[in-house]
Amino acid sequence: MSEPFYITTAIAYPNGKPHIGHAYEAIATDAIARFQRLNGREVCFVTGTDEHGLKMDQTARGLGKATRDLADEMSSYFKNMCTTLDISFDHFCRTTADSHHIASQAIWKRLEANGDLYLDRYEGWYSVRDEAYYDEGELTDGEGGQKLSPQGTPVEWTVEESWFFRLSKYEQPLLEYYAANPGFMRPDSRKNETIKFVEGGLKDLSVSRTSFDWGVKVPGSENHVMYVWLDALTAYISAIGFPDDTEEWRKFWPASVHIIGKDIVRFHTVYWPAFLMSARLPLPKMVFGHGFLLSRGEKMSKSLGNVVDPMELAQLFGVDALRYFLLREVSFGQDGSYSPEAIVTRVNADLANSFGNLAQRTLSLIFKNCEGYLPRIHDHHGDDQALLELVGNAVSFHIPAHFEELAMSQALEAWMQAVFACNAYVDVQAPWALKKTDPARMETVLATLFICIAQLAIAVQPIIPGSAIKLLDQMGVPRDVRNFGHAGSHWYSPLAEGGFQIAQPIGLFPRLELPAEQGASA
RNA sequence: GGCGAAGUAGCUCAGCUGGUUAGAGCGGUGGAAUCAUAAUCCAUAGGUCGGGGGUUCAAGUCCCUCCUUCGCUACCA
């Protein structure tokens, strides 16, 4: 019986085209989803776009477009990015979908039925230009006694009618939930921040707006639209059928993990659980806040001009190279640094030189010396056993254990250790020399390597699915053993005895070169 | 200001609940090999583990303090 596994990325706000951070999150989440599938779990993977809110409306207006058209266009960029990057989502949700509006209104009614919504006035110093409220203390005095926001824009005392959510009521329940579920928030640093924040006291939350209408209408108050976060978070349940009692809903909620950026941890660890408690729905099992990608150690920003287009990187270096780099180089949960040099160095060292070359040299030897037929295993040498054991342990024990902990970089480190062991084995055994001195021994060595390489390819599928599958195809490894449960089973002999023959091997991990012109124009 | 994270070899980083000569990858250096994507393998490079103090038989690993960087939060009436 496989336990269902429901994983989501954050639902991206498509106010601009996707940047490397969106790609990173999607890739990391995809790797986890793929791992769980290969580990025998029934997986549901949801990603999508959160398209409501004032900013979308304003952006559209600025471009002279209908908001809906802009949302369609921007959302498509995100979906295309996922397709390009081999993101294996099951649902790409859009908050503008009718079904999502229905779900949002349904959860609203649940909050209301629970007595957690009330109509009040939201008042404060409001900057029309910033579209934001400020505290008295944040303001400065401008000319003629005009109050100014921290951004230097004029503010006015504004009163707006708003629905409020009794967040304060959930202060204790949340703290109790955190205490009872230590694994709910990860990494720990984010957990501490959240707990401190809640302990500091929660104020009721304004959950509707009347100043614009690009959103989900509040049931019974048609001049209000729902607060974007209430609407956006609901996407995690509307995507799998809520409020209908669908099979998917029953199977997959509560989510196993929400993968999000560290900047939106609070929305997922405070507001979202509170909404769910109020709605009498189970809470997600884990919220993981990953770090940011820095460009050469610096924050990416439009003004610095160092914003990276993930599609360009994928085009330049290859999808799998990009995926491998991000998951190997960045410790999941921490910030990471990116640069073209780092990608080239890492990918060449690990994928091209170590693993790619290992596969290529082994398959070439089999192709040339065995006419492409898989060599027989004659007798087991101690060295063979040792290598098989080492690789076997990595593939069926260490690597999955790290994946399970969402420690992709460590999973890959363990993977590389096994790759190194294979290369060392090749050099010691020197099958090219055995060809004349002891052909039977050569066959055993090549067979041993073939088995190990196949297992390594199986284990790395979550990270670099495209090339791993191509390699496994070249090697004729049966589909039903391409997972963590069966990688170590005895599939080799049947494959060899079945007369499988490899073709001239094709290199799958080309060496990368640094693009010649980098940042030439200022 | 409060809370928290980080500061380890040239570079990027591992080092769990304290315990033999502080680890890996990349780079550098010296060998070996030539099957393979000029890829691989072996050996090596002598870092006061940010500074100082303390606890302990023993601290990178605990406590205090200071410095630097970063995050969250508060305040600047």
Side-chain angles (χ1 to χ4, degrees), chain A residues 196-409:
Chain A
K196 291 289 175 198
F197 174 75
V198 176
E199 282 175 348
L202 295 176
K203 284 189 274 190
D204 288 351
L205 190 66
S206 167
V207 288
S208 78
R209 296 291 135 88
T210 55
S211 50
F212 61 94
D213 66 356
W214 178 243
V216 179
K217 295 243 182 305
V218 170
S221 296
E222 300 291 304
N223 58 326
H224 289 251
V225 292
M226 289 166 52
Y227 175 46
V228 282
W229 271 106
L230 174 52
D231 155 19
L233 291 161
T234 302
Y236 297 134
I237 55 178
S238 71
I240 54 172
F242 178 86
D244 296 331
D245 189 26
T246 62
E247 189 191 333
E248 218 172 24
W249 165 252
R250 283 199 303 272
K251 187 184 290 175
F252 290 113
W253 192 258
S256 307
V257 57
H258 293 310
I259 303 293
I260 59 167
K262 64 180 183 180
D263 54 330
I264 54 174
V265 165
R266 180 174 309 158
F267 300 102
H268 287 78
T269 57
V270 180
Y271 301 166
W272 181 224
F275 293 152
L276 288 168
M277 283 178 180
S278 176
R280 307 295 170 99
L281 293 171
L283 273 50
K285 292 173 192 155
M286 186 193 291
V287 173
F288 190 102
H290 66 248
F292 288 159
L293 287 179
L294 309 174
S295 176
R296 298 179 199 282
E298 295 196 331
K299 213 175 253 186
M300 291 188 215
S301 72
K302 284 175 190 166
S303 54
L304 281 174
N306 60 357
V307 176
V308 180
D309 179 358
M311 306 300 266
E312 223 170 83
L313 285 180
Q315 171 76 35
L316 209 52
F317 300 119
V319 171
D320 281 350
L322 177 62
R323 291 175 60 111
Y324 183 86
F325 170 79
L326 291 176
L327 297 178
R328 173 66 187 89
E329 192 88 354
V330 182
S331 175
F332 199 51
Q334 295 192 296
D335 288 351
S337 196
Y338 141 87
S339 71
E341 296 81 13
I343 294 187
V344 169
T345 302
R346 183 103 243 171
V347 168
N348 282 348
D350 291 9
L351 291 184
N353 298 352
S354 291
F355 184 66
N357 186 51
L358 168 70
Q360 188 66 12
R361 67 200 300 207
T362 302
L363 296 184
S364 290
L365 284 166
I366 292 174
F367 180 73
K368 288 182 187 166
N369 300 327
C370 310
E371 295 170 357
Y373 290 107
L374 304 193
R376 281 185 53 202
I377 299 171
H378 297 271
D379 55 347
H380 278 310
H381 195 284
D383 288 353
D384 312 336
Q385 288 291 10
L387 185 72
L388 287 168
E389 199 170 306
L390 187 150
V391 173
N393 276 339
V395 169
S396 43
F397 189 67
H398 300 299
I399 294 172
H402 285 128
F403 268 121
E404 200 70 66
E405 285 298 307
L406 311 186
M408 280 74 80
S409 62

Side-chain angles (χ1 to χ4, degrees), chain A residues 28-191:
Chain A
T29 308
D30 181 61
I32 299 163
R34 285 178 184 273
F35 162 72
Q36 291 295 355
R37 289 195 198 99
L38 293 177
N39 202 30
R41 302 279 290 270
E42 188 174 357
V43 171
C44 181
F45 172 12
V46 164
T47 187
T49 44
D50 160 28
E51 305 166 24
H52 293 311
L54 186 60
K55 270 192 197 164
M56 282 295 288
D57 213 16
Q58 285 179 324
T59 304
R61 211 169 300 149
L63 294 169
K65 291 183 178 178
T67 313
R68 176 72 208 206
D69 291 343
L70 177 72
D72 286 346
E73 181 191 338
M74 298 312 282
S75 181
S76 74
Y77 293 135
F78 281 77
K79 193 167 184 177
N80 287 342
M81 177 191 79
C82 286
T83 306
T84 301
L85 298 179
D86 261 346
I87 307 304
S88 63
F89 59 82
D90 294 291
H91 299 294
F92 187 95
C93 68
R94 297 186 54 186
T95 57
T96 44
D98 289 344
S99 58
H100 176 75
H101 280 236
I102 291 166
S104 299
Q105 292 175 334
I107 198 170
W108 179 280
K109 286 175 188 161
R110 280 174 174 245
L111 306 190
E112 193 171 37
N114 206 35
D116 288 333
L117 295 177
Y118 60 93
L119 195 57
D120 202 342
R121 287 168 181 281
Y122 196 95
E123 32 188 304
W125 294 101
Y126 186 74
S127 162
V128 177
R129 210 172 303 166
D130 299 348
E131 297 285 359
Y133 281 94
Y134 293 101
D135 286 333
E136 180 92 40
E138 293 179 278
L139 305 178
T140 52
D141 287 321
E143 289 173 30
Q146 169 68 60
K147 298 266 193 194
L148 298 177
S149 77
Q151 273 71 45
T153 58
V155 295
E156 296 167 30
W157 185 258
T158 307
V159 179
E160 188 184 0
E161 186 185 66
S162 173
W163 283 95
F164 281 80
F165 173 71
R166 293 189 200 282
L167 185 62
S168 55
K169 180 176 151 186
Y170 292 93
E171 193 175 309
Q172 282 313 311
L174 283 169
L175 289 172
E176 283 161 24
Y177 185 80
Y178 301 154
N181 299 276
F184 176 58
M185 295 180 270
R186 286 187 53 202
D188 283 346
S189 52
R190 301 298 149 209
K191 171 158 68 174

Side-chain angles (χ1 to χ4, degrees), chain A residues 458-479:
Chain A
I458 289 169
V460 82
Q461 286 179 101
I463 309 291
I464 48 173
S467 20
I469 288 167
K470 278 185 197 153
L471 178 56
L472 289 165
D473 284 348
Q474 278 193 36
M475 297 175 75
V477 177
R479 306 260 160 169

